[in-house]
Amino acid sequence: MNKNKTPICALIYAQNCEHIKFSGEGTIDGNYTKFILPNQKTASHLKFYKYPRPMTLYFENCVDTTLEDIEIKQAPFWTIHLVGCVNTVITKIKIHNEMRMPNTDGIDVDRSKNTLIQNCEIITGDDGICLKCTEETAKYGNCENLNVTDCYIESQSSAIKFGSSSFGDFENCKFERLDIRGSNRGLAFQLRDPGSAINIVFKDIKIETQRFTEKWWGSGEPIFITLLPRTENTDLSGQRLENVKFEDIEFLSDNSIFIYTEQAKMLDNIVFANLKATFRDVKLEKTTFDLRPCNGKATVQCRFQAIVSNSLNYVARDLKVNFVEKSI
């Protein structure tokens, strides 16, 4: 039960366990159609019955967990949720969810440590891989030492996202050799609570983004960095994004790289190195960015450029920009 008194339920649930392994070539089917309202064949964003909807796999405070060579499909809610876990390996997993189904995150890494995700294929409506520090799990500390390599991701939300639940810190995370396609956002920091992100590396990543319906958060940004208060009572005085590097990134996009903070001092040593950017529409004069969830305005409109920022605390070098006519 979380602080909102919503029961945590899952098809497969493990707590306080050691040396768990799921492997083989089987399939786990979440049967999402049992949780949605009828008559939605043409809907772009499905409506569903009241919460709770079950997660497919939920692991809390588990040590030495391995998921390997299985397919998980049609999840009605978060697909794999790791809470306070240590030494987790997720390899050669396929996640194939309905693209129109909200809240179907592929893998949520929540205050877990020493997590390896490699050689996975994640196709889902909501975030592909999402790092969280949820408020009700504070006893497990920060989210640390995540490595993600050699994965393919499609998402109508963010392929990789930090937040929006950021009540703890994210430290020492590396993402390398990723192929991101057909996503609403590529690499995203959606920090809305007092937590910080420190020592994060993105390297050798290909990104293709596009805009979807406004019901999905995002506006086609290949890289999205925002540090904003969730409510008028959120205190971000100690929050920071520090030592974050984007290196050897190639993207095709409908929108710009976007950086937006309340105070420039929140950013320190943000580096863009060897970026190749291709934009689809040379006639675009202004572009709109989605700030949700946050206190205040939901969107901001800016003059189009390769990097849109209200902060100067970053370094960009070797940025190559191309424009192509938007294909219909």
Side-chain angles (χ1 to χ4, degrees):
M1 185 84 70
N2 64 23
K3 72 166 194 167
N4 297 317
K5 298 183 178 180
T6 301
I8 294 174
C9 56
L11 177 63
I12 297 173
Y13 185 108
Q15 187 175 31
N16 306 327
C17 297
E18 296 184 2
H19 310 303
I20 303 172
K21 185 173 184 178
F22 287 86
S23 64
E25 297 181 355
T27 299
I28 299 172
D29 191 330
N31 201 14
Y32 83 96
T33 57
K34 298 297 183 181
F35 301 89
I36 62 171
L37 298 175
N39 303 318
Q40 298 190 77
K41 290 184 178 180
T42 61
S44 59
H45 189 275
L46 296 177
K47 297 179 181 179
F48 48 84
Y49 294 108
K50 290 183 178 180
Y51 290 106
R53 284 174 282 146
M55 303 176 201
T56 309
L57 283 77
Y58 178 88
F59 301 96
E60 181 175 349
N61 195 32
C62 294
V63 179
D64 295 333
T65 300
T66 299
L67 302 176
E68 183 177 9
D69 282 323
I70 58 175
E71 180 181 358
I72 308 168
K73 66 180 185 179
Q74 311 302 354
F77 196 62
W78 296 355
T79 310
I80 300 173
H81 189 187
L82 308 175
V83 179
C85 293
V86 179
N87 299 338
T88 304
V89 175
I90 301 177
T91 182
K92 300 179 184 177
I93 293 294
K94 292 183 179 180
I95 295 175
H96 291 171
N97 291 332
E98 166 60 56
M99 295 294 286
R100 302 175 299 152
M101 186 69 178
N103 310 121
T104 52
D105 295 10
I107 303 174
D108 288 288
V109 183
D110 187 352
R111 296 190 189 265
S112 293
K113 298 172 176 62
N114 306 335
T115 306
L116 173 63
I117 301 172
Q118 61 183 2
N119 298 305
C120 293
E121 180 178 275
I122 301 172
I123 301 173
T124 191
D126 223 305
D127 303 319
I129 297 174
C130 186
L131 291 79
K132 296 180 179 292
C133 287
T134 50
E135 187 173 12
E136 58 271 19
T137 60
K139 65 181 180 181
Y140 295 118
N142 295 328
C143 186
E144 301 175 2
N145 303 328
L146 168 66
N147 281 280
V148 180
T149 64
D150 301 292
C151 291
Y152 176 87
I153 305 174
E154 291 183 29
S155 166
Q156 289 202 46
S157 196
S158 299
I160 303 292
K161 190 175 84 174
F162 288 72
S164 68
S165 293
S166 48
F167 292 92
D169 293 343
F170 306 99
E171 299 183 21
N172 304 323
C173 301
K174 187 172 183 178
F175 303 82
E176 192 169 11
R177 297 186 302 278
L178 305 184
D179 189 3
I180 295 170
R181 303 292 171 182
S183 295
N184 206 2
R185 284 187 179 133
L187 312 174
F189 288 87
Q190 195 181 52
L191 304 182
R192 297 294 181 268
D193 309 299
S196 298
I198 304 164
N199 300 333
I200 314 296
V201 175
F202 300 94
K203 185 175 182 180
D204 190 12
I205 298 175
K206 294 183 178 180
I207 303 170
E208 183 267 316
T209 60
Q210 64 190 73
R211 299 172 191 258
F212 291 90
T213 170
E214 64 180 13
K215 291 183 178 180
W216 295 102
W217 289 344
S219 305
E221 307 95 339
I223 298 173
F224 177 85
I225 299 173
T226 56
L227 294 82
L228 295 168
R230 184 181 297 276
T231 70
E232 61 181 6
N233 297 318
T234 302
D235 181 8
L236 301 183
S237 57
Q239 189 190 55
R240 66 194 193 279
L241 191 70
E242 182 178 335
N243 298 334
V244 179
K245 187 173 185 179
F246 301 87
E247 183 178 7
D248 298 328
I249 310 293
E250 181 178 347
F251 65 81
L252 170 66
S253 178
D254 283 350
N255 214 339
S256 307
I257 295 173
F258 184 62
I259 306 170
Y260 198 90
T261 66
E262 287 216 316
Q263 300 179 39
K265 67 180 182 180
M266 291 180 171
L267 300 185
D268 186 20
N269 193 30
I270 312 302
V271 177
F272 298 93
N274 193 25
L275 269 63
K276 182 179 179 181
T278 301
F279 298 101
R280 289 192 180 92
D281 197 343
V282 298
K283 300 176 183 177
L284 192 63
E285 295 181 359
K286 289 187 177 181
T287 185
T288 299
F289 296 96
D290 183 356
L291 302 179
R292 296 174 295 174
C294 65
N295 180 51
K297 57 189 177 182
T299 62
V300 61
Q301 193 174 65
C302 306
R303 181 175 63 84
F304 183 84
Q305 50 190 336
I307 300 178
V308 173
S309 174
N310 71 337
S311 171
L312 299 178
N313 287 12
Y314 67 88
V315 176
R317 63 174 185 266
D318 299 325
L319 175 62
K320 301 174 184 178
V321 180
N322 300 313
F323 293 90
V324 297
E325 293 290 346
K326 189 171 184 178
S327 58
I328 304 298

